[in-house]
């Protein structure tokens, strides 16, 4: 059996743990339990006529159970906080990737303007080439670099059947030379509109890529096809009926990515704000039990009930076994 000095030393150690938990949780009931436990300890310490082993019994029945309960809550809270910080980390990685993608999209938006101008220049040179049999290649290598650079991430996937349909042509209705092929009607429209075009969308189907353009100043009442398709692998230009493009989703994704980044940043802000409270949260059922226990040990007659272990320990066993922790 331990002597009083050892008992009070053990009691001090338990109370110090309670003090640390009261500082950690900043919970009114935990603070009251710590304060009242300290009062009970001091009562036994300062009154030698009291049996110090009753203090030991008190700690065995109550304090150690309370400490085990609070430790369990703290550990569960730490797991929850780890989940929150993990989610924040995943969101931050996604934000980083989306931000990089947005930068690529900005590059794509600028590059497609330059590409449309380059296609216009190439068509103008092809026209001159076809007219006077010049030998200059109208299609510089950089013209194909656009689709090589951006097709993977920014061209829309289409069915092989549609790709076949878009690239099919009647040989009798095209101009061709050793450099390229263009539909006769389309060349007429290009000359009429001074080779001014706008990039509409990029399409891909398997290994094939196509760039879709539209006339910059298309006149509904006067012109034929507003759109045309360019196959950079063959320098092939064909007119395209609007109906063939109607089922292709060609809306930009920049605004969608920006919205997702905004939502993720807002979510991370909420998660970060929730972490301090999550770290010290005490489940409602446990908080109620702690309040009942705090009220019980503040009862002036509490010490008279210490020996009744079975009755008084039930509430703490309920705490430790609760599923809500």
């Amino acid at each position: 059996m331990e002597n009083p000095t050892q008992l009070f030393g053990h009691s001090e150690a338990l109370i110090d743990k309670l003090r640390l938990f009261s500082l950690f949780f900043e919970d009114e009931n935990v603070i009251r339990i710590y304060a009242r436990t300290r009062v009970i300890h001091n009562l036994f310490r300062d009154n030698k006529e009291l049996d110090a082993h009753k203090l030991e019994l008190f700690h065995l029945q109550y304090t150690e159970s309370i400490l085990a309960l609070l430790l369990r809550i703290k550990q569960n809270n730490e797991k929850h906080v780890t989940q929150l910080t993990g989610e924040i980390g995943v969101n931050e990685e996604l934000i980083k990737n989306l931000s990089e993608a947005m930068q690529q999209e900005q590059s794509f938006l600028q590059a497609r303007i330059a590409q449309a101008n380059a296609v216009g220049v190439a068509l103008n040179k092809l026209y001159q080439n076809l007219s006077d049999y010049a030998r200059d290649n109208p299609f510089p290598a950089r013209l194909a670099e656009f689709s090589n650079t951006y097709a993977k991430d920014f061209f829309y996937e289409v069915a092989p059947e549609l790709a076949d349909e878009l690239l099919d042509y009647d040989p009798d209705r095209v101009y061709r030379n050793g450099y390229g092929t263009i539909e006769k009607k389309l060349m007429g429209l290009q000359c009429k509109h001074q080779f001014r075009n706008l990039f509409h969308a990029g399409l891909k189907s398997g290994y094939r890529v196509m760039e879709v353009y539209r006339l910059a100043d298309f006149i509904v009442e006067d012109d034929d096809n507003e759109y045309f398709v360019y196959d950079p692998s063959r320098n092939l230009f064909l007119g395209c009926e609007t109906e063939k493009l109607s089922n292709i989703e060609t809306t930009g994704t920049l605004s969608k990515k920006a919205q997702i980044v905004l939502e993720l940043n807002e979510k991370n802000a909420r998660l970060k704000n929730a972490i301090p409270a999550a770290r010290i949260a005490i489940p409602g059922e446990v908080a109620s039990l702690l309040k009942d226990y705090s009220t019980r040990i503040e009862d002036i007659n509490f010490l008279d009930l210490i020996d009744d272990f079975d009755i008084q320990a039930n509430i703490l066993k309920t705490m430790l076994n609760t599923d809500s922790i």
Side-chain angles (χ1 to χ4, degrees), residues 307-320:
D307 290 327
D308 195 352
F309 176 87
D310 291 335
I311 296 175
Q312 295 302 314
N314 282 340
I315 186 171
L316 293 177
K317 287 185 177 181
T318 301
M319 290 183 189
L320 289 171

Side-chain angles (χ1 to χ4, degrees), residues 210-321:
M210 297 148 280
E211 299 170 18
V212 181
Y213 295 85
R214 61 186 177 88
L215 298 175
D217 49 0
F218 175 73
I219 303 172
V220 177
E221 298 82 3
D222 194 28
D223 294 327
D224 293 312
N225 295 334
E226 178 180 5
Y227 298 93
F228 66 92
V229 176
Y230 167 47
D231 177 356
S233 67
R234 293 184 288 171
N235 291 322
L236 171 66
F237 296 86
L238 301 172
C240 176
E241 297 175 357
T242 304
E243 292 75 15
K244 293 181 180 180
L245 305 174
S246 60
N247 293 326
I248 301 174
E249 175 58 53
T250 58
T251 56
T253 58
L254 180 61
S255 60
K256 294 180 181 178
K257 286 187 174 67
Q259 182 63 32
I260 293 173
V261 168
L262 177 61
E263 292 173 356
L264 287 174
N265 277 318
E266 291 176 346
K267 184 174 184 179
N268 271 5
R270 291 194 300 270
L271 291 174
K272 290 177 182 178
N273 290 335
I275 285 177
R279 197 182 302 277
I280 62 173
I282 295 178
E285 181 181 353
V286 175
S288 178
L289 292 170
L290 290 173
K291 183 177 181 180
D292 289 344
Y293 172 62
S294 173
T295 301
R296 178 170 275 99
I297 64 172
E298 288 177 350
D299 190 324
I300 194 171
N301 297 318
F302 174 76
L303 293 178
D304 296 334
L305 302 175
I306 287 180
D307 290 327
D308 195 352
F309 176 87
D310 291 335
I311 296 175
Q312 295 302 314
N314 282 340
I315 186 171
L316 293 177
K317 287 185 177 181
T318 301
M319 290 183 189
L320 289 171
N321 293 329

Side-chain angles (χ1 to χ4, degrees), residues 58-126:
F58 163 72
H59 285 316
L60 179 64
Q61 294 177 5
Y62 299 100
T63 310
E64 291 185 4
S65 296
I66 284 292
L67 290 173
L69 175 68
L70 295 175
L71 177 61
R72 183 175 170 186
I73 294 171
K74 183 174 183 291
Q75 290 172 337
N76 285 346
N77 287 354
E78 288 171 351
K79 292 178 183 178
H80 185 206
V81 169
T82 299
Q83 291 175 348
L84 294 178
T85 55
E87 183 175 356
I88 290 171
V90 170
N91 290 343
E92 287 178 344
E93 183 66 23
L94 185 55
I95 289 169
K96 177 184 176 182
N97 293 339
L98 287 172
S99 297
E100 291 175 353
M102 288 167 62
Q103 292 178 353
Q104 293 175 352
E105 283 182 340
Q106 290 292 350
S107 172
F108 171 65
L109 292 176
Q110 296 173 359
R112 68 181 192 173
I113 295 174
Q115 179 72 354
N117 292 334
V119 165
V121 171
L123 287 173
N124 191 352
K125 289 183 178 180
L126 178 63

